[in-house]
Amino acid sequence: MKNTLSSTFAGANREYVASLAKGLAVIRCFDHQHTEMTLSEVARLANLTRATARRFLHTLHQLGYMESDGKLYWLTPKVLDLGYSYLASQPLIERVQPYTKELCDAIGESCSVSVLDFPDVVYVARTLSHQIMSVSLNVGARLPAVTTSMGRVLLAARGDEEIDELLAKVSVERFTKHTLVEPAQIKGEIQMARKKGYAICNQELEIGLRSLAVPIRNRQGKAVAAINVSSQPLKVSESKLLKEILPQLREAARKISDAL
Amino acid sequence: MKNTLSSTFAGANREYVASLAKGLAVIRCFDHQHTEMTLSEVARLANLTRATARRFLHTLHQLGYMESDGKLYWLTPKVLDLGYSYLASQPLIERVQPYTKELCDAIGESCSVSVLDFPDVVYVARTLSHQIMSVSLNVGARLPAVTTSMGRVLLAARGDEEIDELLAKVSVERFTKHTLVEPAQIKGEIQMARKKGYAICNQELEIGLRSLAVPIRNRQGKAVAAINVSSQPLKVSESKLLKEILPQLREAARKISDAL
DNA sequence: GCAAAAAAGTTCGCCATCCGAACTTTGCCC
DNA sequence: GGGCAAAGTTCGGATGGCGAACTTTTTTGC
């Protein structure tokens, strides 16, 4: 196979700089299973020749993004600066933390803010309540949009046609017995979210986890992010969720909108 | 001036890929003052010709890191994936959140974890307590190592000679009237931190903010990160900080070390 | 409101940059 | 300890990316 990052594939044109794509691929091949790697391992994972991987590792090292003992290479905290460029460039994200904190304290449940990057939602802020969830998601973590309350309220802002197109091109993973996998069912949930202004996702991602989300709108009324509350069905009833928690969630979303 | 990213400067050698450096510079020129920019603005900020900036913006767009309306360009959430590569590649960071949460709940004060990337410390996890601080720092945020409790305990792990070298090459900003700016004084604080196993930074960054930090050590005993507690001098006395909070902070650091 | 000028955006010939085949070095197995 | 496979490095040459020059858009001045 030809390298998928070379200009023969991704952008067979003169406006595409293949070296940038390769360099980013080198950064991205590090993860929790690959915390430090040899040149050859990087080459294999990033689909580059060893010579090419070497040039990029050396470049990243000279730029301060990569550290090495001469044999193994690993990422430095400077890599966070790249993600920070995005966080800093979104005024919403910079200011949202106090509101999630306030909401979390008021209702005693974990609270998150995410944006849509189809087919995922991406967490941009979190405040955890007391109980430690089985998964602790960092800022930047992704979950499938169609299987989350936040994803559904964000998709609700799109037109029905666009929703059909988007749903057509994702394969939905069945996380639990409750997970909706039929496009028609999911579309129904999204339309319900549009009508009611909120979405509930009941144990579709994980048994024992129910989340409620509402959109955060900018000055133009566009849904730019979503805020949610995660709770346990056994601890918080659905009626309590809608009667007590939903108004507070809406209030938090409104406050954030006003601050934009 | 010649472009500082071209091979004539940063790496005048055949192991340096200038295009990668330029592409990363394009990402990094976005921040809270530059949330969306035209091609020419990017060219100016990243020190590139317009033609070059154009190629990189188009490349980032094709790769999904950049969005555009044809006139303005802005970063997409996919940029967070880059930073996430670093977070995921550090087992420490992936697991630290529950411990900062637990500590924060136990003592009722904000609690953070950071790593050293001299001349800064970089926040990798935070749990805020009730009172909202004047600054809400995201993951990836940086503060000068020499003016923070976490920076000082992390520097304490280095040799005296290395500390002298490091201190010689930073200029220390005087944030408040309490900020230590003399290298000799700072070195004294670092040596004290080494001796006692903790560091206190009393209102040197901001009036009304006192922090206490201890190192987090890996299995080999190396200080790989620091954990701290921020409190208000008027609310928590120094003796309470040392008698009640320090032992809990040490316990949290030990638990994190054990989990590594 | 229109012309002139300046700034922004785009094209394309050329050559420095980056590619990868070939070579050297390392380390593993019997 | 010698042979072999895998990792790491080099360097001649093709080609990807550079930027001067061009076109288009926006601003300025009257």
Side-chain angles (χ1 to χ4, degrees):
Chain A
M1 182 186 71
K2 253 262 168 181
N3 185 330
T4 51
L5 296 170
S6 78
S7 61
T8 53
F9 174 80
N13 61 56
R14 297 169 60 77
E15 316 196 327
Y16 186 73
V17 183
S19 293
L20 174 55
K22 292 178 196 169
L24 295 176
V26 168
I27 293 175
R28 296 194 59 158
C29 72
F30 286 81
D31 62 26
H32 60 115
Q33 297 193 336
H34 306 93
T35 63
E36 36 184 43
M37 286 189 274
T38 62
L39 190 161
S40 295
E41 285 178 272
V42 170
R44 225 173 289 132
L45 272 169
N47 242 218
L48 304 170
T49 65
R50 291 195 305 282
T52 303
R54 183 170 186 266
R55 282 192 296 278
F56 286 99
L57 287 169
H58 280 230
T59 303
L60 288 168
H61 179 65
Q62 286 181 61
L63 293 171
Y65 294 101
M66 192 73 72
E67 200 46 78
S68 172
D69 60 5
K71 179 133 208 62
L72 293 167
Y73 292 84
W74 58 91
L75 297 176
T76 71
K78 193 175 177 183
V79 173
L80 279 181
D81 290 1
L82 298 170
Y84 202 68
S85 278
Y86 169 73
L87 292 179
S89 74
Q90 301 294 106
L92 168 86
I93 299 170
E94 289 235 289
R95 300 187 204 164
V96 98
Q97 195 72 56
Y99 298 98
T100 62
K101 175 66 186 158
E102 189 184 353
L103 181 61
C104 177
D105 284 346
I107 62 188
E109 302 290 344
S110 292
C111 171
S112 310
V113 173
S114 71
V115 295
L116 186 63
D117 191 32
F118 202 80
D120 302 308
V121 289
V122 182
Y123 281 85
V124 296
R126 292 209 93 189
T127 302
L128 297 175
S129 69
H130 300 289
Q131 61 276 2
I132 289 146
M133 291 278 160
S134 66
V135 282
S136 177
L137 297 164
N138 267 316
V139 166
R142 288 169 176 267
L143 287 175
V146 295
T147 315
T148 55
S149 58
M150 292 191 284
R152 288 177 186 167
V153 291
L154 288 169
L155 285 168
R158 311 295 173 101
D160 276 336
E161 264 182 49
E162 192 182 351
I163 291 169
D164 288 334
E165 281 168 33
L166 293 174
L167 289 181
K169 68 182 181 198
V170 286
S171 64
V172 185
E173 189 181 343
R174 176 169 250 130
F175 292 98
T176 74
K177 63 185 177 189
H178 303 288
T179 309
L180 299 183
V181 291
E182 288 304 320
Q185 289 181 298
I186 294 168
K187 193 181 178 187
E189 288 295 311
I190 293 169
Q191 289 174 319
M192 184 82 91
R194 188 187 298 143
K195 195 175 148 202
K196 300 200 168 170
Y198 67 84
I200 286 182
C201 190
N202 186 17
Q203 308 183 80
E204 289 187 43
L205 208 58
E206 191 184 323
I207 294 295
L209 179 66
R210 180 164 57 199
S211 65
L212 167 67
V214 301
I216 297 172
R217 300 179 185 283
N218 66 9
R219 292 229 164 275
Q220 290 78 47
K222 194 188 165 209
V224 290
I227 182 167
N228 90 346
V229 166
S230 298
S231 58
Q232 296 166 307
L234 294 173
K235 200 181 135 202
V236 182
S237 70
E238 186 149 341
S239 85
K240 185 182 173 187
L241 203 60
L242 293 178
K243 285 197 190 123
E244 292 177 32
I245 293 180
L246 180 56
Q248 295 186 67
L249 190 60
R250 286 204 155 120
E251 174 67 7
R254 196 195 51 73
K255 278 189 198 166
I256 295 169
S257 294
D258 287 351
L260 289 182
Chain B
M1 184 184 70
K2 253 260 167 181
N3 185 330
T4 50
L5 296 169
S6 78
S7 62
T8 52
F9 173 80
N13 62 56
R14 297 168 60 79
E15 317 196 327
Y16 187 74
V17 182
S19 294
L20 174 55
K22 290 178 196 168
L24 294 175
V26 167
I27 293 175
R28 297 193 57 157
C29 73
F30 286 80
D31 62 27
H32 61 115
Q33 296 194 335
H34 306 94
T35 65
E36 38 183 41
M37 286 189 274
T38 62
L39 189 161
S40 294
E41 284 178 273
V42 170
R44 226 172 288 129
L45 272 169
N47 242 216
L48 303 171
T49 65
R50 289 194 307 280
T52 303
R54 183 171 185 265
R55 281 191 299 277
F56 286 99
L57 287 169
H58 280 229
T59 303
L60 288 168
H61 179 65
Q62 288 181 60
L63 293 172
Y65 294 101
M66 193 73 73
E67 201 46 78
S68 172
D69 60 4
K71 181 134 206 65
L72 293 167
Y73 292 84
W74 57 91
L75 297 176
T76 72
K78 194 175 177 184
V79 174
L80 279 182
D81 289 1
L82 299 171
Y84 202 67
S85 277
Y86 169 74
L87 292 178
S89 74
Q90 301 294 106
L92 168 86
I93 298 170
E94 289 235 288
R95 301 187 203 164
V96 97
Q97 195 74 54
Y99 298 99
T100 61
K101 174 67 186 158
E102 190 185 351
L103 181 61
C104 177
D105 285 346
I107 61 186
E109 301 290 345
S110 292
C111 170
S112 310
V113 173
S114 70
V115 296
L116 186 64
D117 190 33
F118 202 80
D120 301 310
V121 289
V122 182
Y123 280 85
V124 296
R126 292 209 93 187
T127 301
L128 298 176
S129 69
H130 299 289
Q131 59 275 1
I132 289 146
M133 290 279 160
S134 65
V135 281
S136 177
L137 296 163
N138 266 316
V139 166
R142 288 169 177 266
L143 287 176
V146 295
T147 315
T148 56
S149 58
M150 292 191 284
R152 288 177 187 169
V153 291
L154 288 169
L155 286 168
R158 310 294 174 103
D160 276 337
E161 266 182 48
E162 192 183 350
I163 292 170
D164 287 334
E165 281 167 34
L166 292 173
L167 289 180
K169 68 183 180 198
V170 287
S171 65
V172 185
E173 189 181 342
R174 175 170 250 130
F175 292 97
T176 74
K177 64 185 174 187
H178 302 288
T179 309
L180 298 183
V181 291
E182 289 302 322
Q185 288 180 299
I186 294 168
K187 193 181 176 187
E189 288 295 311
I190 293 169
Q191 289 174 319
M192 184 81 92
R194 187 187 299 144
K195 194 173 149 203
K196 300 200 169 172
Y198 67 83
I200 286 182
C201 191
N202 186 16
Q203 307 184 81
E204 290 187 42
L205 209 57
E206 191 185 322
I207 293 297
L209 179 66
R210 180 164 57 197
S211 65
L212 167 67
V214 300
I216 298 172
R217 299 179 186 282
N218 66 8
R219 292 228 164 275
Q220 290 78 48
K222 194 188 165 209
V224 290
I227 182 167
N228 90 346
V229 165
S230 297
S231 59
Q232 296 166 307
L234 293 174
K235 199 181 136 202
V236 181
S237 70
E238 186 150 341
S239 87
K240 184 182 173 188
L241 202 60
L242 292 179
K243 284 199 189 121
E244 292 176 32
I245 292 179
L246 179 57
Q248 296 186 68
L249 189 61
R250 287 204 154 120
E251 175 67 6
R254 196 194 52 74
K255 279 190 198 167
I256 295 169
S257 294
D258 287 350
L260 288 182

